[in-house]
Amino acid sequence: MMIRRYGCIQLSISLLLLFESLSSSHAAALTTPAGQQFSTGQTIFEEQCSGCHGEDGVSGNAADIRGVPQKDIELAIRGVEDMPEIELTPEQINAVTIYLDYLATSAPEK
């Protein structure tokens, strides 16, 4: 009985330490340049794109833009067909591309 209890305590401590390290690495990821670009891209997408393309980049009334190459974004923001012109810096375009790449791996198929 004592061995089982010790094993449970040891497992609990190991899980707690693992959770803390994952939480720390997740927080660190958001403060790295790539994490900041992701956050910036997400914010721009939510403010400028999600109204037509949906929150997941696919469920709106406009085209599926998940995983779109950066060169296509650069062309599209100039205003194409029904899409309005959007002014973004090269850094913001890169950030949106990073976020759209994320959506490509996380959103369901349409």
Side-chain angles (χ1 to χ4, degrees):
M1 183 75 162
M2 190 65 133
I3 293 174
R4 183 179 287 171
R5 185 174 298 170
Y6 175 73
C8 289
I9 292 171
Q10 189 175 23
L11 177 62
S12 297
I13 291 171
S14 296
L15 289 173
L16 179 62
L17 292 173
L18 176 63
F19 179 73
E20 281 185 27
S21 70
L22 290 175
S23 296
S24 297
S25 64
H26 180 66
L30 291 177
T31 59
T32 64
Q36 290 172 354
Q37 286 180 312
F38 177 88
S39 295
T40 298
Q42 181 179 19
T43 299
I44 293 168
F45 178 84
E46 289 172 352
E47 293 174 356
Q48 301 287 332
C49 312
S50 65
C52 295
H53 295 280
E55 291 182 12
D56 58 2
V58 65
S59 64
N61 58 2
D64 178 355
I65 58 171
R66 299 171 298 162
V68 170
Q70 185 163 333
K71 63 182 175 63
D72 292 348
I73 295 170
E74 291 167 352
L75 292 172
I77 65 170
R78 294 181 189 157
V80 182
E81 297 175 17
D82 292 335
M83 182 160 160
E85 186 173 335
I86 302 170
E87 290 188 34
L88 297 176
T89 66
E91 292 81 15
Q92 290 173 318
I93 294 169
N94 188 53
V96 170
T97 303
I98 289 169
Y99 186 68
L100 292 176
D101 287 345
Y102 162 76
L103 288 181
T105 62
S106 65
E109 292 296 320
K110 186 172 182 179

